[in-house]
């Protein structure tokens, strides 16, 4: 197809609508231009399919263009060679040139006509690469620290051979042997401190990196599966080498590890299994008086990685079966009996298209661990409406009081056991770690003298003795206040990485805990442990790494709250505030970065936070309307209920019994006029529970249930599928009732990734304006930072207090005073958070061209005279396709009911015809 001389998109499986052609052309030209682009297309308009057919068509066209240019160059080169050739040249020279050309042609022939790897070539590549890929243990090179260390213990030293495995290798400080060097002359690594989810780099044999690689990332695994589903509808599914990446939790097929449930524990256990090798003979063997130890060949401790041939089979199967999503890869791994997580990772280099979650691409540590090469590639970030906040949150770091106590205690015990056997370098750095953990504990306990650092009960008592409050500090102020500003954190972090101290201390601690069960117990009988010891060490390392950021990049949150039933006790947290430098690393590497989403506006906030160096007029932004006609959507601002009361769900009014009762009466009336399914969104799980209980007490719930079934969104994501299935069954088989109502929560799983097409979502009800709680100190820190963006004047950023450590009691009114003091950017960011959440929720309905739904915005703040709307009015931030049809003023509920009745009667008759 062609549109006014524009690009052709033959891979589109259907006849595209005009807005889809416009979107694909806009994306295609964005790739021609390179750099950063933002493309907005409402949900339900075929955005994913349009992205696939446009982006991959551009890659195809570009590769064909490059091949044509190379052929021309080759022909020209041959012509020149022919002019200067001489019969005097020896035959072996002539034959060498001919053979070399034949080799080049043979290599080129391994690509099919579209420039992608042919199936036959893929299979051979898989076979050849796997022969070397798994000829050694997967993590032997990835984890230098996992190799058996050469011991430097003198033969006269007395050390139990069982404890010897926990002894650190000699470590030389900068003064003694350069910047942190081990006596074993261990191969140096680029400095990073990876979390367990951003671990080792697999050193597979290098394959030729596919050029013009496309990286498509989205927020959730379900969205990635949806992308793969759409990709299968196109010809590219059979012509491209595609790999889907995901987390260990989603990929793991080791039942023992899966039972842990928690993502962090699954990550840690996976790494531990690869670290603990099963020896062919014995673990260690004493070879006489010299105390020498013989090491034996090892294989992975995880049964899913022991048979290397199965990993090869896994790759071969993917080559035969084509595009697979995460669920398919997991099932394939189960069928073969090999790890799909590492199997999929091993295919990145040869892939034309890599489909992956946000974390894997946006986190630098994850990119390096996975070996992602963004050079001259195409990066497509879908669901980018909250990209800035999602990006910076990946660089947050947090350590709890319990974790600090655990780490401090284990380091002390380790140091006490091995002090006499450690070299000066190790002793110095371990003592530095103790100084830091002691300082962090003091600040959490508000204990100047360190009198409460001995036991778990005393530490918890220390928290109870102090007032409950949070405070924030700049990095430099935090370091100076703890008198640790003279510590070289870069060298310390390098020591942590190279020396393997985390695993040594954790291993020794595990052994001691096993030998002395029941010793580390609080007065109430609970263990002092908070998760694994290793997780606590990793949290400490991440916090130390955060402290190496620039002073203005983030803030330190100090929370001295006592341990509550929710498990949220005292903690230190680094909150990253700026994403500019993080995002620039991606932009400067890639050929093009495309941000796509259903609602990306206001784009200026995103530009200021992520790429302020890019002038507004240089940012390519495209937005299209919806595919549905105006008569298929009815957005209504509902300001009054059936009893005539005004709907005001602001913080001070929403909990009144009259307000909750009026909302119940509204739902009861809606159940009589709206067919099939109604989805109601509340601002939080707490408020949804409060309203539900009020309806139950007043009897309104029983009256609603006479007309429709009611289902509630569960807090646990694992239970959502069951609820949605029951909700759908109630709509498909309504008798004797007329459908169902689903009570959901803004920001929950349902609002972010579940589509309610047709009868599943005939009406979306948004209760109030879901502003985030102003009692959240992290939110207020972001608000203050954003308020200061682009401000070159001397105007002060809103302060929580006048001291260098800003105290905050967590009350809502204090938060509101901060927001009121903002002039523009901070206040607008707060409003945008609310309206983006609204837009994301109401976008769950209207999923295709023949769909229809009503959208009710229930709050007097949505209603206004259109002639008096200001920029900051909620309705001004609604998507254009909703704003154009919005009925913003209704005299009473009777008018709302009448419009709904007419709307559904019209669309029912239209669809029948």
């Amino acid at each position: 197809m062609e549109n006014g001389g524009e690009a052709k998109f033959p891979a589109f499986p259907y006849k595209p609508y005009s807005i889809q052609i416009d979107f694909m052309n806009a994306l295609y030209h964005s790739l021609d231009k390179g750099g950063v682009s933002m493309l907005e297309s409402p949900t339900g308009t075929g955005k994913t399919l349009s992205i696939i057919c446009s982006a991959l068509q551009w890659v195809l066209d570009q590769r064909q263009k490059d091949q044509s240019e190379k052929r021309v160059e080759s022909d020209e080169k041959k012509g020149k060679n022919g002019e200067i050739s001489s019969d005097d040249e020896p035959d072996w020279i002539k034959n060498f040139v001919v053979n070399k050309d034949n080799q080049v042609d043979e290599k080129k022939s391994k690509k099919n006509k579209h420039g992608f790897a042919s199936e036959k070539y893929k299979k051979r590549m898989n076979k050849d690469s796997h022969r070397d890929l798994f000829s050694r243990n997967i993590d032997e090179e990835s984890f230098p620290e996992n190799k058996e260390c050469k011991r430097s213990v003198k033969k006269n030293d007395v050390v139990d051979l069982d404890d010897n495995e926990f002894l650190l290798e000699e470590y030389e400080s900068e003064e003694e042997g350069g910047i942190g060097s081990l006596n074993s002359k261990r191969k140096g690594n680029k400095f990073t401190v990876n979390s367990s989810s951003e671990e080792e780099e697999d050193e597979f044999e290098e394959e030729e990196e596919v050029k013009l690689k496309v990286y498509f990332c989205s927020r959730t695994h379900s969205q990635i599966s949806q992308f793969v589903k759409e990709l299968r509808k196109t010809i590219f599914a059979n012509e491209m080498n595609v790999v889907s990446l995901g987390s260990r939790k989603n990929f793991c097929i080791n039942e023992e590890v899966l039972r842990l449930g928690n993502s962090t524990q699954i990550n840690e256990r996976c790494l531990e299994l690869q670290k603990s090798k099963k020896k062919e003979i014995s673990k260690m063997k004493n070879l006489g008086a010299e105390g020498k130890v013989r090491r034996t060949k090892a294989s992975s401790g995880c049964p899913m990685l022991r048979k290397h041939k199965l990993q090869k089979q896994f790759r071969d199967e993917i080559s035969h079966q084509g595009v697979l999503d995460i669920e398919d890869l997991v099932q394939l791994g189960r069928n073969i009996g090999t790890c799909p997580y590492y199997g999929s990772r091993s295919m990145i280099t040869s892939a034309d298209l890599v489909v992956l979650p946000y974390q894997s691409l946006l986190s630098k540590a994850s990119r390096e661990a996975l070996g992602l090469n963004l050079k001259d590639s195409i990066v497509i970030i879908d669901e980018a409406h909250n990209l800035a906040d999602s990006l910076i949150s990946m660089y947050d770091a947090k350590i709890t009081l319990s974790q600090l106590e655990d780490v401090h205690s284990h380091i002390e015990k380790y140091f006490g056991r091995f002090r006499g056997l450690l070299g000066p370098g190790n002793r110095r750095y371990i003592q530095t770690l103790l100084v830091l953990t002691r300082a962090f504990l003091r600040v959490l306990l508000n204990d100047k003298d360190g009198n409460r650092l001995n036991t778990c009960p005393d530490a918890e008592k220390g928290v109870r003795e102090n007032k409950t409050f949070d405070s924030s500090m700049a990095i430099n102020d935090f370091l100076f206040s703890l008198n640790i500003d003279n510590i070289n954190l870069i060298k310390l972090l390098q020591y942590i990485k190279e020396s393997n101290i985390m695993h040594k201390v954790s291993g020794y601690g595990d052994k001691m805990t096993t030998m002395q069960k029941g010793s580390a117990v609080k007065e109430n009988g609970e263990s002092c442990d908070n998760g694994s010891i290793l997780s606590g060490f990793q949290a400490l390392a991440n916090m130390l790494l955060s402290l190496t950021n620039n002073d203005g990049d983030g803030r330190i949150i100090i929370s001295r709250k006592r341990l509550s039933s929710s498990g949220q006790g005292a903690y230190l947290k680094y909150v990253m505030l700026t994403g500019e430098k993080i995002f620039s690393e991606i932009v400067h590497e890639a050929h093009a970065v495309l941000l796509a989403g259903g609602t990306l506006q206001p784009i200026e906030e995103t530009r200021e936070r992520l790429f302020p160096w890019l002038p507004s007029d240089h940012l390519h932004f495209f937005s299209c309307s919806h595919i549905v006609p105006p008569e298929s959507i009815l957005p209504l601002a509902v300001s009054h209920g059936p009893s005539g009361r005004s709907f005001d769900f602001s913080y001070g009014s929403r909990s009144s019994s009259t307000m909750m009762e009026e909302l119940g009466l509204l739902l009861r009336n809606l159940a009589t006029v709206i067919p099939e399914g109604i989805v109601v969104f509340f601002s939080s799980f707490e408020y949804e529970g409060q309203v539900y209980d009020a309806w139950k007490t007043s009897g309104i719930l029983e009256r609603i249930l006479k007309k429709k079934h009611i289902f509630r969104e569960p807090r646990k994501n694992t239970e959502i599928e069951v609820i949605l299935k029951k909700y759908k069954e109630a709509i498909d088989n309504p008798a004797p009732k007329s459908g169902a109502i689903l009570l959901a929560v803004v920001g929950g799983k349902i609002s972010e990734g579940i589509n309610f097409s047709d009868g599943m979502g005939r009406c979306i009800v948004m209760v109030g304006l879901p502003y985030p709680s102003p009692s959240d100190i992290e939110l207020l820190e972001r608000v203050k930072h954003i308020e200061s963006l682009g401000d070159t004047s001397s105007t002060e950023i809103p302060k929580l207090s006048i001291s260098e450590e800003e105290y905050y009691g967590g009350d809502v009114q204090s938060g509101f005073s901060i927001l009121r003091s903002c002039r523009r950017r901070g206040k607008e960011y707060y409003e945008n958070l609310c309206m983006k959440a609204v837009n994301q929720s109401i976008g769950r309905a209207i999923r295709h061209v023949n769909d229809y739904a009503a959208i009710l915005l229930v709050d007097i703040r949505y209603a206004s005279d259109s002639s008096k709307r200001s920029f900051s009015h909620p309705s001004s931030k609604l998507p254009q396709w909703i704003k154009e049809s919005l009925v913003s003023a209704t005299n009473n509920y009777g008018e709302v009911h009448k419009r709904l009745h007419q709307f559904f009667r019209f669309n029912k008759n239209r669809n029948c015809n």
Side-chain angles (χ1 to χ4, degrees):
M1 100 212 54
E2 212 165 339
N3 184 29
E6 299 289 358
K8 295 181 179 180
F9 306 104
F12 204 89
Y14 318 111
K15 183 179 179 181
Y17 300 104
S18 59
I19 63 167
Q20 292 171 329
I21 296 174
D22 293 341
F23 182 90
M24 288 189 286
N25 277 318
L27 193 153
Y28 194 97
H29 292 312
S30 294
L31 295 179
D32 274 339
K33 188 181 70 169
V36 183
S37 300
M38 299 178 72
L39 296 102
E40 182 181 70
S41 180
T43 54
T45 56
K47 170 172 58 73
T48 302
L49 198 55
S50 298
I51 289 173
I52 291 168
C53 293
S54 181
L56 301 188
Q57 186 65 47
W58 185 88
V59 172
L60 169 63
D61 294 346
Q62 200 66 28
R63 287 180 176 176
Q64 290 178 336
K65 180 181 176 183
D66 291 345
Q67 286 178 2
S68 297
E69 291 175 354
K70 286 178 181 178
R71 280 195 295 269
V72 171
E73 290 175 4
S74 176
D75 291 342
E76 290 176 353
K77 187 175 180 181
K78 286 179 181 179
K80 289 179 182 179
N81 289 339
E83 291 171 11
I84 62 173
S85 66
S86 168
D87 290 337
D88 295 333
E89 289 178 342
D91 290 340
W92 68 269
I93 291 182
K94 295 178 183 178
N95 292 336
F96 175 77
V97 174
V98 172
N99 290 337
K100 186 174 181 181
D101 289 340
N102 288 339
Q103 288 172 9
V104 172
D105 291 339
E106 183 182 346
K107 189 173 182 179
K108 287 182 179 178
S109 70
K110 291 170 183 173
K111 298 283 183 176
N112 64 19
K113 63 179 181 178
H114 294 302
F116 304 126
S118 66
E119 291 299 322
K120 186 175 180 181
Y121 182 53
K122 284 182 198 173
K123 286 178 66 177
R124 210 180 82 183
M125 284 290 288
N126 288 343
K127 183 176 180 180
D128 292 343
S129 61
H130 268 274
R131 186 176 294 123
D132 292 314
L133 184 64
F134 291 104
S135 62
R136 61 173 181 270
N137 184 287
I138 283 183
D139 287 275
E140 183 131 313
E141 296 298 324
S142 304
F143 287 93
E145 64 267 26
N146 289 349
K147 298 177 183 178
E148 295 288 345
C149 296
K150 295 180 181 178
R151 307 301 181 194
S152 56
V153 183
K154 297 177 183 178
K155 63 181 181 180
N156 292 330
D157 285 337
V158 180
V159 56
D160 189 338
L161 193 60
D162 288 340
D163 284 352
N164 194 36
E165 64 178 301
F166 303 117
L167 184 60
L168 283 163
E169 189 176 342
E170 275 192 25
Y171 191 89
E172 296 177 354
S173 67
E174 183 177 357
E175 296 79 17
E176 296 163 341
I179 300 179
S181 60
L182 294 172
N183 266 358
S184 63
K185 305 299 180 187
R186 179 180 291 157
K187 180 181 176 181
N189 291 308
K190 184 174 180 181
F191 167 65
T192 55
V193 176
N194 298 329
S195 69
S196 58
S197 61
E198 302 161 351
E199 76 304 308
E200 77 293 346
E201 299 179 28
D202 296 327
E203 295 191 6
F204 301 133
E205 179 168 312
E206 288 294 323
E207 296 179 6
E208 183 182 357
E209 183 81 37
V210 170
K211 293 183 179 179
L212 282 180
K213 193 188 296 290
V214 177
Y215 293 94
F216 177 90
C217 70
S218 198
R219 285 165 25 86
T220 65
H221 287 89
S222 61
Q223 289 165 347
I224 288 173
S225 294
Q226 180 63 28
F227 176 88
V228 172
K229 182 180 177 182
E230 295 296 305
L231 177 62
R232 286 172 177 158
K233 297 176 182 178
T234 72
I235 59 171
F236 295 117
N238 299 320
E239 298 187 355
M240 296 197 77
N241 195 2
V242 182
V243 61
S244 297
L245 303 180
S247 66
R248 279 186 172 86
K249 185 174 182 179
N250 286 86
F251 267 118
C252 183
I253 58 173
N254 185 329
E255 295 299 332
E256 175 203 338
V257 177
L258 269 179
R259 277 197 295 269
L260 296 172
N262 179 275
S263 295
T264 302
Q265 291 180 337
I266 289 174
N267 292 336
E268 298 292 359
R269 181 59 181 153
C270 175
L271 297 181
E272 283 175 19
L273 280 173
Q274 293 178 68
K275 189 168 68 75
S276 14
K277 317 297 183 183
K278 291 198 173 181
K279 310 301 180 182
E280 287 180 356
I281 311 176
S282 57
K283 185 176 182 182
M284 283 187 173
K285 189 172 181 180
N286 193 343
L287 296 183
E290 294 294 314
K292 294 180 180 178
V293 172
R294 182 172 72 191
R295 291 171 294 165
T296 56
K297 186 178 178 182
S299 61
S300 174
C302 179
M304 299 303 162
L305 279 172
R306 286 180 193 158
K307 296 183 179 179
H308 306 151
K309 289 182 180 179
L310 296 183
Q311 283 278 302
K312 171 190 173 298
Q313 183 184 344
F314 181 84
R315 286 174 53 133
D316 288 345
E317 282 294 323
I318 292 176
S319 296
H320 284 116
Q321 295 187 27
V323 181
L324 302 178
D325 63 15
I326 292 173
E327 288 73 19
D328 298 326
L329 291 169
V330 169
Q331 189 57 50
L332 179 61
R334 287 187 187 280
N335 293 342
I336 296 175
T338 192
C339 177
Y341 175 77
Y342 281 102
S344 60
R345 279 181 54 162
S346 67
M347 300 181 69
I348 294 172
T349 305
S350 59
D352 300 296
L353 171 63
V354 180
V355 187
L356 68 172
Y358 267 21
Q359 176 79 24
S360 301
L361 184 121
L362 298 179
S363 165
K364 184 177 181 180
S366 292
R367 289 199 304 274
E368 291 177 348
L370 291 170
L372 303 185
N373 180 12
L374 302 187
K375 183 68 175 175
D376 298 327
S377 63
I378 297 165
V379 175
I380 301 173
I381 303 173
D382 197 15
E383 300 297 331
H385 52 282
N386 282 328
L387 178 60
D389 285 339
S390 297
L391 178 65
I392 62 176
S393 67
M394 294 176 189
Y395 290 81
D396 290 350
K398 177 180 176 181
I399 186 165
T400 65
L401 174 61
S402 297
Q403 286 176 317
L404 270 173
E405 290 170 335
D406 212 18
V407 172
H408 183 79
S409 171
H410 278 84
I411 296 176
E412 277 192 328
K413 290 175 183 176
Y414 180 88
F415 194 49
R417 171 67 182 85
F418 294 101
R419 182 171 188 165
L421 302 168
L422 295 170
N426 280 314
R427 286 200 302 270
R428 186 181 305 112
Y429 282 114
I430 292 175
Q431 287 172 327
T432 302
L433 282 171
L434 287 170
V435 167
L436 286 168
T437 53
R438 192 175 291 114
F440 292 166
L441 283 167
R442 279 204 309 271
V443 75
L444 281 183
L445 300 173
N446 205 18
D447 178 21
K448 302 293 183 183
D449 302 317
N451 294 324
R452 304 189 185 106
L453 303 184
N454 297 324
T455 62
C456 292
D458 284 348
E460 199 57 44
K461 178 183 176 184
V463 176
R464 289 196 296 268
E465 287 176 355
N466 287 282
K467 292 172 63 179
T468 298
F469 59 84
D470 292 344
S471 59
S472 72
M473 301 181 78
I475 294 175
N476 289 346
D477 290 338
F478 179 75
L479 296 175
F480 282 120
S481 68
L482 296 183
N483 198 26
I484 55 175
D485 55 292
N486 59 335
I487 294 176
N488 188 329
L489 294 177
I490 298 292
K491 286 178 60 179
L492 179 61
L493 285 162
Q494 190 165 355
Y495 169 77
I496 292 173
K497 178 179 176 61
E498 293 183 350
S499 68
N500 196 26
I501 186 172
M502 289 197 296
H503 288 85
K504 296 292 184 182
V505 175
S506 299
Y508 180 71
D510 285 338
K511 178 184 176 182
M512 291 298 100
T513 302
T514 303
M515 292 175 62
Q516 303 168 0
K517 285 182 179 179
S519 60
V521 176
K522 296 182 185 179
E523 290 176 350
N524 60 5
E526 295 178 5
S527 171
C528 288
D529 275 351
N530 182 23
S532 71
I533 303 169
L534 201 56
S535 296
F537 270 101
Q538 192 63 66
L540 176 64
N542 291 339
M543 179 60 69
L544 296 177
L545 181 61
S546 297
L547 295 176
T548 64
N549 286 310
N550 292 335
D551 190 47
D553 286 352
R555 298 279 290 185
I556 305 295
I557 305 296
I558 304 165
S559 177
R560 299 183 176 95
K561 295 176 182 176
R562 59 178 296 179
L563 192 65
S564 63
S565 58
S566 64
Q568 179 75 313
Y571 63 86
L572 287 175
K573 184 171 184 177
Y574 173 80
V575 179
M576 178 66 81
L577 297 176
T578 175
E580 175 186 344
K581 287 181 289 186
I582 302 168
F583 196 67
S584 67
E585 293 175 349
I586 298 172
V587 174
H588 294 153
E589 279 286 308
H591 163 71
V593 177
L594 305 180
L595 311 185
T599 309
L600 297 181
Q601 300 185 65
I603 62 172
E604 187 59 19
E605 178 201 310
T606 303
R607 189 193 68 81
E608 286 184 337
R609 295 183 66 191
L610 293 183
F611 35 92
W613 68 85
L614 185 67
S616 299
D617 55 350
H618 287 190
L619 173 63
H620 181 211
F621 176 73
F622 172 83
S623 180
C624 65
S625 57
H626 212 293
I627 56 175
V628 297
E631 57 267 23
S632 294
I633 177 175
L634 179 62
L636 289 169
V638 183
S639 54
H640 295 84
S643 300
R645 297 190 186 99
S646 296
F647 281 123
D648 179 8
F649 292 97
S650 58
Y651 183 78
S653 305
R654 66 184 182 186
S655 296
S656 70
S657 57
T658 55
M659 195 60 55
M660 292 187 285
E661 182 182 347
E662 194 70 18
L663 179 62
L665 293 175
L666 172 68
L667 260 292
R668 187 200 64 179
N669 280 271
L670 293 179
T672 65
V673 70
I674 297 172
E676 301 175 290
I678 302 173
V679 184
V680 185
F681 284 102
F682 292 88
S683 57
S684 66
F685 279 105
E686 289 73 21
Y687 186 57
E688 184 271 341
Q690 189 179 352
V691 171
Y692 187 85
D693 291 342
W695 290 350
K696 196 172 183 180
T697 303
S698 66
I700 291 178
L701 183 66
E702 186 178 350
R703 293 159 70 182
I704 297 173
L705 284 169
K706 289 180 179 179
K707 295 296 296 181
K708 289 184 183 290
H709 299 277
I710 292 183
F711 300 94
R712 302 171 69 188
E713 177 175 1
R715 288 178 181 263
K716 292 182 179 179
N717 290 343
T718 52
E719 299 173 1
I720 286 178
E721 192 173 334
V722 175
I723 295 297
L724 290 176
K725 185 179 179 181
K726 291 180 179 178
Y727 173 65
K728 188 175 187 306
E729 288 173 353
I731 292 168
D732 293 340
N733 305 290
K737 301 184 181 182
S738 62
I741 297 174
L742 177 60
L743 307 182
V745 174
V746 173
K749 182 78 172 179
I750 288 176
S751 72
E752 290 290 337
I754 307 298
N755 298 330
F756 295 97
S757 61
D758 301 315
M760 292 276 284
R762 285 295 176 224
C763 180
I764 303 293
V765 179
M766 173 57 62
V767 179
L769 286 156
Y771 286 104
S773 172
S775 63
D776 183 353
I777 187 173
E778 294 178 33
L779 169 66
L780 293 176
E781 289 297 338
R782 288 199 299 272
V783 167
K784 292 191 298 173
H785 173 75
I786 291 167
E787 177 72 10
S788 69
L789 291 177
D791 190 0
T792 56
S793 66
S794 59
T795 305
E796 288 228 357
I797 302 170
K799 290 284 187 179
L800 291 172
S801 74
I802 58 173
S803 63
E804 65 178 21
E805 182 175 358
E806 299 175 0
Y807 293 96
Y808 183 57
D811 61 295
V812 173
Q813 294 308 318
S814 297
F816 279 132
S817 67
I818 297 297
L819 292 166
R820 282 192 290 268
S821 67
C822 294
R823 296 186 176 183
R824 183 175 71 85
R825 286 187 178 90
K827 190 179 296 184
E828 189 168 320
Y829 165 70
Y830 186 66
E831 293 171 352
N832 290 342
L833 282 176
C834 169
M835 291 310 298
K836 284 180 180 180
V838 169
N839 295 338
Q840 192 68 11
S841 299
I842 62 181
R844 298 304 91 209
I846 312 287
R847 307 305 304 181
H848 57 85
V849 68
N850 295 318
D851 207 352
Y852 62 94
I855 295 173
L856 306 187
L857 306 173
V858 184
D859 198 297
I860 196 169
R861 291 171 290 177
Y862 286 111
S864 71
D865 183 345
S866 59
S867 63
K868 297 179 181 178
R869 286 180 189 164
S870 65
F871 175 73
S872 60
H873 191 276
S875 62
S876 69
K877 297 180 185 294
L878 290 169
Q880 191 64 32
W881 61 280
I882 291 180
K883 196 162 38 176
E884 289 171 350
S885 304
L886 178 65
V887 180
S888 59
T890 50
N891 296 321
N892 50 50
Y893 173 73
E895 183 180 345
V896 171
H897 197 92
K898 180 181 177 182
R899 285 179 178 272
L900 288 169
H901 178 74
Q902 293 172 342
F903 173 78
F904 285 108
R905 184 177 63 182
F906 170 80
N907 279 282
K908 182 180 179 181
N909 293 334
R910 187 183 64 163
N911 281 277
C912 288
N913 297 333

